[in-house]
Amino acid sequence: MHMRKVPGFVPASPWGLRLPQKFLFLLFLSGLVTLCFGALFLLPHSSRLKRLFLASRTQQPGLEVMAEVAGHPSAREQEPPPKPAPAVPAPGEDDPSSRAGPRPRKGWLRRTRPTGPREEATAARGSGVAALRPGEESIPFSFDFSAFRSRLRHPVLGTRTDESKEPQSRVRAQREKIKEMMRFAWQSYRRYAMGRNELRPLTKDGYEGSMFGGLSGATIIDSLDTLYLMELKEEFQEAKAWVEESFHLNVSGEASLFEVNIRYIGGLLSAYYLTGEEVFRIKAIKLGEKLLPAFNTPTGIPKGVVNFKSGSWGWATAGSSSILAEFGSLHLEFLHLTELSGNPIFAKKVRNIRKVLRKIDKPFGLYPNFLSPVSGNWVQHHVSVGGLGDSFYEYLIKSWLMSAKTDMEAKNMYYEALEAIETYLLNVSPGGLTYIAEWRGGILDHKMGHLACFSGGMISLGAEDAKEEKRAHYQELAAQITRTCHESYARSDTKLGPEAFWFNSGREAVATQLSESYYILRPEVVESYMYLWRQTHDPTYREWGWDVVMALEKYCRTDAGFSGIQDVYSSSPNHDNKQQSFFLAETLKYLYLLFSEDDTLSLEDWVFNTEAHPLPVNHSDSSSQAWQRH
Ligand code: DMJ
């Protein structure tokens, strides 16, 4: 129907208002609305309202879905107290609040101060979260960094002696040398391979590898805390800038759950705890979320590989098994993911792993290396404290220490496992060398892998919490194992140790074939020197550590970074053309700590994850989801 306009006629609205009146009414109404929203954003203490209005825009579907699948209520239904931004210490500048002194015994956790998208953008810029992509922007939960720092017993980098007063100190010069090696390793990587996972020093290019599912920059993430520790400030800033601008999580390959966890998550968590920079916390949590699909198995024991694209854990490989060292080395990082995100799901996943392992029958109290994530049964009876088993044991004792000695379950599991290892795997060679053999259904392989050499440090670290009558014994055992590992170095031409060494046919602590004679810049032996030094202050450990520094310089340093070598028994070995990221994360860090004071990253405050990334001990009496005991 066609409406005809009558000139001069102003139609009344259905409410009987004429046009000018209607205009005035609308003007009043819009003023009112603007005022309300203005108040919503500008008035202090309006967080609850903001959350009400903005919730749908700040929540992350990924987390919510996972929490629901796991039967959890949302972790975000919490009330935020106002929070001053924590003062962020620059590398080398210690946070004064971390100095020993009276500490408030408040909960460690703080709750979120929700923000709108615009505020997030501003906050992100301010805190260096410049290049976050959609879906990576924020975590609607905040962590009280200042409170955390105030609870540390020691300054993070230690109470450094006034170095100008002892310029000639030998130990200082040794530390400086190791710092120079780190600078060189970093600068070589930056020059030839920045953004790639690892440097190839001979071909002077980068290498991605197949473990990280398309993630890049493994060396950068692995290096952050070492650069910070050594006060390589410029280099730390370069690394941080790369994380801000170029570390993207929207990748779609297949990744090793274990490797991504220990290197990337561990590295980001440490970088956050050392600096308070939000970008590290956010990236760690977002990456942690991408790992969660690996746990969707019938038992909740994760598969070793997660597909970042489909999120599946690979039903096609349902027959294959999960590896003890891999699914058993998530506990430390996942508790901290819950601590920093407020989301209980991470802690729940690793508690379930613990539960499965606690309940399952263990042959002679030993933990075999392979478990079916489908049936929850051991797949075969191969037991090792080296590769495939190693860091599972490490994470038990470190879970106990990280919980400020409240996680009794971890403590008990650790000492029980150690007893079984001692009973069935420990041996002394005819030449008097103590070693931990490998066990195949009751038959022993009289060999130790380089990887197993971390165990000296672990046993030393756990000695003081053992039953009183065992303490001295464990300390001695740790020293003996470490001595054996040292022998594997001392008996080579290069004074670097082989990948595996045997105790057979009169030959002791040496590799028996070329395929086991390589050295790939691994840290485990110097790791044990560091722990033994801290426990005993026996100068032998520094001497042995210094021998390693000299050997690395002589045989592994190239024009463009450090490289592994193919044969430790050759005095002119070939290089393997790889500067492993763990060389910067672990080997150089442990060496540096070996020549530092005990309060530098004090063992009272920090535990090192299996990639040497320091994670803080929970000194709070917090009721956070992360530390709840079940
Ligand atoms: C590191 O990535 C970790 O220490 C892991 O636990 C085992 N091996 C390498 C270094 O050798």
Side-chain angles (χ1 to χ4, degrees):
M1 187 175 61
H2 179 73
M3 293 283 284
R4 208 160 60 96
K5 217 173 166 185
V6 181
F9 176 73
V10 182
S13 77
W15 300 338
L17 295 175
R18 295 199 178 276
L19 197 56
Q21 293 167 314
K22 209 161 82 177
F23 176 71
L24 275 175
F25 176 68
L26 281 174
L27 203 68
F28 170 71
L29 208 65
S30 66
L32 201 65
V33 169
T34 317
L35 211 68
C36 288
F37 268 93
L40 180 65
F41 282 97
L42 296 176
L43 287 177
H45 307 301
S46 59
S47 317
R48 195 187 306 185
L49 282 170
K50 281 187 209 171
R51 187 170 54 223
L52 209 65
F53 282 89
L54 300 169
S56 60
R57 303 184 69 171
T58 54
Q59 284 170 353
Q60 303 126 52
L63 265 184
E64 297 303 321
V65 170
M66 291 308 299
E68 273 170 36
V69 166
H72 282 293
S74 164
R76 301 174 218 310
E77 294 155 12
Q78 303 178 31
E79 180 56 23
K83 171 178 180 289
V88 175
E93 283 169 26
D94 221 349
D95 180 357
S97 64
S98 71
R99 315 237 168 235
R103 278 168 206 93
R105 295 290 297 168
K106 278 204 224 129
W108 192 357
L109 267 181
R110 282 191 29 90
R111 295 164 185 175
T112 182
R113 181 183 56 170
T115 55
R118 192 179 308 155
E119 290 169 84
E120 282 165 15
T122 318
R125 252 175 273 123
S127 65
V129 195
L132 293 172
R133 295 189 164 187
E136 294 178 20
E137 300 87 357
S138 74
I139 302 293
F141 175 87
S142 71
F143 172 77
D144 193 338
F145 185 75
S146 305
F148 146 67
R149 288 297 286 257
S150 74
R151 276 190 279 277
L152 294 179
R153 308 288 197 248
H154 302 272
V156 173
L157 299 184
T159 328
R160 305 221 153 162
T161 46
D162 184 353
E163 294 184 334
S164 61
K165 288 190 187 137
E166 46 168 12
Q168 301 310 324
S169 146
R170 176 167 152 80
V171 74
R172 182 186 166 200
Q174 291 172 311
R175 216 168 39 235
E176 284 303 313
K177 174 66 201 161
I178 297 159
K179 181 170 170 177
E180 183 280 325
M181 292 164 75
M182 178 69 189
R183 188 186 288 113
F184 175 67
W186 169 262
Q187 287 180 350
S188 303
Y189 165 79
R190 192 199 54 181
R191 179 158 180 206
Y192 299 112
M194 189 67 181
R196 311 294 298 280
N197 279 325
E198 287 171 320
L199 163 70
R200 295 198 294 192
L202 301 190
T203 42
K204 298 187 177 162
D205 57 6
Y207 174 79
E208 294 307 344
S210 56
M211 297 186 301
F212 305 122
L215 291 171
S216 51
T219 295
I220 299 171
I221 310 280
D222 249 358
S223 296
L224 283 163
D225 51 18
T226 311
L227 295 171
Y228 185 89
L229 164 71
M230 295 183 185
E231 299 180 75
L232 288 164
K233 299 179 188 183
E234 210 175 290
E235 290 81 358
F236 176 84
Q237 290 306 330
E238 286 163 3
K240 185 184 134 201
W242 183 88
V243 175
E244 288 168 350
E245 288 152 26
S246 309
F247 181 47
H248 301 303
L249 306 183
N250 54 340
V251 293
S252 57
E254 291 200 327
S256 157
L257 171 66
F258 168 78
E259 296 292 351
V260 170
N261 179 57
I262 67 168
R263 299 190 201 212
Y264 284 91
I265 304 275
L268 291 165
L269 289 172
S270 289
Y272 174 69
Y273 281 118
L274 292 174
T275 65
E277 296 276 2
E278 274 293 284
V279 64
F280 301 129
R281 182 178 76 97
I282 292 170
K283 298 264 184 184
I285 295 165
K286 293 290 176 186
L287 186 52
E289 289 169 22
K290 287 179 78 84
L291 298 180
L292 290 173
F295 293 80
N296 295 337
T297 67
T299 57
I301 295 288
K303 284 284 292 186
V305 172
V306 60
N307 184 319
F308 283 147
K309 189 170 185 192
S310 67
S312 80
W313 60 279
W315 284 98
T317 55
S320 67
S321 41
S322 299
I323 293 170
L324 180 68
E326 296 192 341
F327 66 77
S329 307
L330 304 167
H331 207 93
L332 306 180
E333 296 83 356
F334 273 50
L335 289 199
H336 277 292
L337 286 176
T338 284
E339 177 71 0
L340 295 184
S341 68
N343 190 329
I345 191 147
F346 302 104
K348 185 174 188 244
K349 296 296 181 194
V350 289
R351 284 207 183 95
N352 176 59
I353 296 176
R354 171 86 65 77
K355 197 164 145 198
V356 172
L357 287 172
R358 193 167 41 77
K359 287 194 171 157
I360 191 173
D361 265 353
K362 293 167 265 292
F364 305 101
L366 296 167
Y367 289 82
N369 290 337
F370 298 100
L371 187 82
S372 162
V374 177
S375 69
N377 295 324
W378 301 119
V379 173
Q380 41 117 311
H381 287 182
H382 176 219
V383 178
S384 162
V385 177
L388 306 176
D390 49 6
S391 40
F392 160 66
Y393 305 99
E394 176 186 353
Y395 272 39
L396 288 178
I397 188 63
K398 289 182 177 174
S399 293
W400 158 252
L401 295 171
M402 195 178 85
S403 71
K405 306 192 179 181
T406 59
D407 185 350
M408 290 300 293
E409 185 178 65
K411 179 186 185 189
N412 294 335
M413 286 171 76
Y414 170 75
Y415 289 110
E416 282 163 19
L418 189 55
E419 290 241 18
I421 288 165
E422 206 178 339
T423 306
Y424 296 102
L425 275 64
L426 198 78
N427 268 275
V428 180
S429 73
L433 296 180
T434 301
Y435 63 97
I436 304 181
E438 298 192 359
W439 192 85
R440 291 181 190 276
I443 313 279
L444 289 186
D445 279 345
H446 293 273
K447 80 163 186 187
M448 252 182 103
H450 193 291
L451 290 167
C453 284
F454 86 99
S455 59
M458 175 186 74
I459 294 169
S460 171
L461 183 66
E464 82 175 44
D465 291 324
K467 287 187 203 137
E468 209 177 335
E469 66 273 20
K470 286 272 195 173
R471 287 178 196 162
H473 166 70
Y474 283 143
Q475 199 53 59
E476 179 56 20
L477 180 60
Q480 289 305 328
I481 292 170
T482 304
R483 184 169 78 91
T484 299
C485 291
H486 170 257
E487 282 303 313
S488 78
Y489 276 49
R491 294 178 187 200
S492 78
D493 294 46
T494 54
K495 306 302 169 211
L496 294 167
E499 181 67 5
F501 46 94
W502 292 78
F503 301 84
N504 266 341
S505 339
R507 303 191 69 198
E508 298 189 353
V510 288
T512 54
Q513 44 192 322
L514 188 61
S515 62
E516 292 174 335
S517 299
Y518 60 89
Y519 171 70
I520 56 168
L521 305 174
R522 283 197 193 280
E524 291 77 15
V525 174
V526 293
E527 175 181 351
S528 284
Y529 294 167
M530 192 281 288
Y531 283 110
L532 267 293
W533 162 257
R534 288 235 171 151
Q535 302 294 336
T536 66
H537 291 142
D538 179 341
T540 307
Y541 297 111
R542 280 189 167 170
E543 284 161 25
W544 290 351
W546 193 244
D547 291 344
V548 176
V549 170
M550 293 292 99
L552 286 168
E553 283 287 281
K554 186 164 178 192
Y555 295 105
C556 300
R557 189 166 180 141
T558 74
D559 290 347
F562 287 88
S563 168
I565 55 176
Q566 288 171 354
D567 182 5
V568 296
Y569 302 108
S570 159
S571 51
S572 51
N574 291 326
H575 290 118
D576 69 2
N577 196 21
K578 220 168 164 199
Q579 179 175 279
Q580 304 276 351
S581 75
F582 54 66
F583 179 66
L584 295 88
E586 300 189 71
T587 313
L588 292 175
K589 185 187 285 135
Y590 285 133
L591 281 168
Y592 187 82
L593 290 173
L594 176 61
F595 294 96
S596 299
E597 295 298 318
D598 291 356
D599 62 357
T600 306
L601 289 176
S602 163
L603 297 178
E604 278 190 84
D605 284 328
W606 304 91
V607 293
F608 292 93
N609 88 339
T610 193
E611 189 79 357
H613 295 305
L615 299 172
V617 170
N618 173 32
H619 287 313
S620 80
D621 52 7
S622 162
S623 58
S624 146
Q625 301 272 5
W627 313 112
Q628 276 173 20
R629 293 181 284 285
H630 294 284

